[in-house]
């Protein structure tokens, strides 16, 4: 399906509009359902056509799926009999409409609307389960078990794990690895080996069609990899990743969501970009090798890899970040060193405790 959510607007400028059948296609308040013109809307309320004729039902369903594929939030108080059960359940789940925009930092209206949009996209963009090699370097054996457990939760993909032990011995993680249901390949590297080189040594063991980078201390929703594969497919991208949008600030016990850069410039999802969250980079294994792998350096590995990808002429697409939460403690604990005050400055939303998107399914 050529229709994509590229250009999705997080914050609508207008309310709901009426989606109705206009003889041979859907219309919005009497006008053709043109996707760019629909972006500012909160969503579309469906008025069902009399589609007892099978051909008409098929045509109407195709039109709804095109809108869902574009990320347009759709809703209805009931579903027509010819609507498949999974789509009907989403269309009639109107919980997201119960949140009104109030301008506060705790407002959930935009988030719940986007979650609804993403669930619709997943139905409209079915993607065959890809073979993905997950590459992760860790110097913290105590985090490996939890990271592997999140990898095991991944749905609609066939995954293997490539584990680079950075200054840690396999014996320290043996129990976690042997209890993991996924196939795990591992390498040991001295602590003095640059981070990027450890990733490359692990990635050399890959047998999947795609390579996905994973950070040991972050949280990933169960559809994280499947959503990346979906975005790669509908965008026809070479490299895909998510926004770095949700952060859990451990010392403050707070979750923030950012939708702008520190400069104030917008930080949208579903766009072509030179920036994606480093812990979410995914691309075909062939393209990874063509780029030359990760730069064998200790810091800014993700940034330099994306720069190298651009120099190689790759197309980088940034999809939604609702299935990913970055953990931030004191700056010295991370290769991406920014003070906690920075994250508070860029926060569009802020909540007490661990409050990820519902798409994380309580990761």
């Amino acid at each position: 399906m050529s229709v994509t959510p590229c250009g999705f607007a997080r914050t609508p400028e207008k309310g709901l509009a009426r989606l109705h059948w206009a003889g041979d296609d859907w219309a919005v308040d009497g006008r053709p359902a043109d996707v760019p013109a629909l972006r500012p809307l909160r969503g579309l309320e469906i008025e069902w056509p009399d589609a007892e004729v099978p051909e008409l039902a098929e045509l109407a369903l195709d039109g709804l799926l095109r809108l869902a594929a574009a990320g347009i939030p759709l809703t209805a108080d009931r579903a027509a009999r010819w609507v498949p059960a999974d789509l009907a359940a989403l269309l009639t789940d109107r919980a997201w409409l119960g949140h009104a925009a109030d301008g506060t930092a705790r407002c959930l209206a935009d988030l719940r609307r986007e979650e609804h949009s993403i669930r619709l996209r997943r139905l409209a963009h079915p993607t065959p389960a890809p073979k993905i090699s997950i590459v992760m370097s860790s110097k913290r054996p105590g985090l490996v078990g939890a990271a592997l457990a999140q990898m095991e939760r991944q749905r609609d993909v066939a995954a293997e794990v490539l584990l680079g032990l950075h200054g840690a011995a396999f014996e320290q993680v043996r129990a976690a690895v042997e209890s993991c249901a996924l196939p795990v390949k591992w390498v040991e590297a001295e602590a003095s080996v640059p981070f990027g080189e450890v990733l490359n040594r692990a990635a050399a063991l890959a047998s999947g069609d795609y390579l996905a980078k994973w950070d040991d201390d972050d949280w990933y929703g169960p559809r994280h990899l499947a959503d990346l594969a979906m975005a790669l497919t509908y965008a026809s991208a070479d490299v895909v990743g998510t926004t770095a949008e949700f952060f859990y600030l451990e010392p403050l016990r707070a979750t923030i969501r950012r939708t702008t850069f520190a400069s104030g410039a917008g930080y949208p999802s579903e766009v072509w970009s030179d920036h994606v969250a480093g812990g979410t980079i995914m691309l075909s294994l062939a393209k990874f090798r063509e780029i030359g792998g990760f730069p064998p350096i200790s810091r800014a590995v993700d940034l330099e890899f994306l720069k190298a990808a651009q120099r190689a002429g790759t197309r980088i697409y940034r999809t939604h970040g609702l299935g990913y939460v970055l953990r931030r403690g004191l700056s010295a604990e991370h290769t991406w060193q920014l003070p906690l005050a920075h994250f508070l400055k860029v926060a569009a939303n802020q909540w007490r405790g661990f409050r990820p998107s519902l798409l994380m399914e309580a990761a």
Side-chain angles (χ1 to χ4, degrees), residues 90 118-119 122-123 125-132 134 147-160 181-182 210 212 214 220-231 282 320 322-323 357-363:
L90 281 180
I118 292 166
R119 293 185 181 108
R122 290 170 174 172
L123 274 184
H125 289 286
T127 305
K131 295 175 61 178
I132 300 176
I134 307 170
L148 292 177
Q150 292 188 84
M151 296 177 195
E152 285 181 305
R153 294 178 71 209
Q154 297 302 300
R155 298 186 196 134
D156 302 322
V157 297
E160 67 172 0
L182 299 176
Y210 298 91
W214 198 281
Y220 298 80
R223 285 269 318 183
H224 168 71
L225 291 177
D227 281 356
L228 289 178
M230 178 177 69
M282 190 167 95
H320 77 86
L322 273 58
S357 160
L358 295 178
L359 299 186
M360 292 289 293
E361 299 185 24

Side-chain angles (χ1 to χ4, degrees), residues 30 74 89 110-111 151 261 268 275 291 302 336 344 346 352 361:
L74 304 172
D110 288 351
L111 176 57
M151 296 177 195
F261 289 101
H275 178 272
I291 293 169
D302 306 326
W336 182 20
L344 295 175
V346 299
R352 293 179 181 175
E361 299 185 24

Side-chain angles (χ1 to χ4, degrees), residues 102-281:
D102 60 14
T104 69
R106 293 181 175 83
C107 182
L108 293 169
D110 288 351
L111 176 57
R112 295 292 176 258
R113 171 180 174 268
E114 187 169 355
E115 290 165 348
H116 182 67
S117 167
I118 292 166
R119 293 185 181 108
L120 286 168
R121 297 174 209 174
R122 290 170 174 172
L123 274 184
H125 289 286
T127 305
K131 295 175 61 178
I132 300 176
S133 299
I134 307 170
V135 61
M136 181 180 78
S137 171
S138 180
K139 56 176 59 178
R140 295 169 286 198
L143 296 180
V144 169
L148 292 177
Q150 292 188 84
M151 296 177 195
E152 285 181 305
R153 294 178 71 209
Q154 297 302 300
R155 298 186 196 134
D156 302 322
V157 297
E160 67 172 0
V161 182
L162 313 174
L163 176 61
L165 295 167
H166 196 183
F170 177 71
E171 286 303 318
Q172 295 176 275
V173 299
R174 177 184 291 277
V177 169
E178 292 182 348
S179 64
C180 181
L182 299 176
V184 181
K185 303 172 185 177
W186 54 274
V187 295
E188 292 180 344
E190 298 293 331
S192 59
V193 177
F195 174 52
E197 176 59 24
V198 179
L199 287 171
N200 284 332
R201 292 181 187 181
L205 305 176
S207 63
D209 297 321
Y210 298 91
L211 188 76
K213 186 171 176 292
W214 198 281
D215 284 353
D216 63 359
D217 59 345
D218 295 335
W219 290 274
Y220 298 80
R223 285 269 318 183
H224 168 71
L225 291 177
D227 281 356
L228 289 178
M230 178 177 69
L232 266 176
T233 301
Y234 66 59
S236 297
D238 298 310
V239 178
V240 71
T242 77
T243 51
E245 191 168 337
F246 279 83
F247 294 82
Y248 180 61
L249 309 181
E250 280 192 316
L252 304 180
R253 297 181 182 178
T255 303
I256 66 109
R257 184 190 190 193
R258 69 162 179 168
T259 56
T260 64
F261 289 101
S263 65
Y267 184 46
S269 62
E270 305 304 335
V271 293
W272 296 101
S273 176
D274 60 356
H275 178 272
V276 299
T280 69
I281 293 170

Side-chain angles (χ1 to χ4, degrees), residues 334-347:
H334 303 280
T335 56
W336 182 20
Q337 293 192 357
L338 287 170
L340 294 177
H342 165 83
F343 299 102
L344 295 175
K345 177 182 177 181
V346 299

Side-chain angles (χ1 to χ4, degrees), residues 42 75 90-100 112-113 116 119 358:
R42 188 182 187 195
T75 188
L90 281 180
L91 295 177
T92 56
D93 181 354
R94 295 162 71 86
W96 64 282
L97 292 170
H99 299 271
R112 295 292 176 258
R113 171 180 174 268
H116 182 67
R119 293 185 181 108
L358 295 178

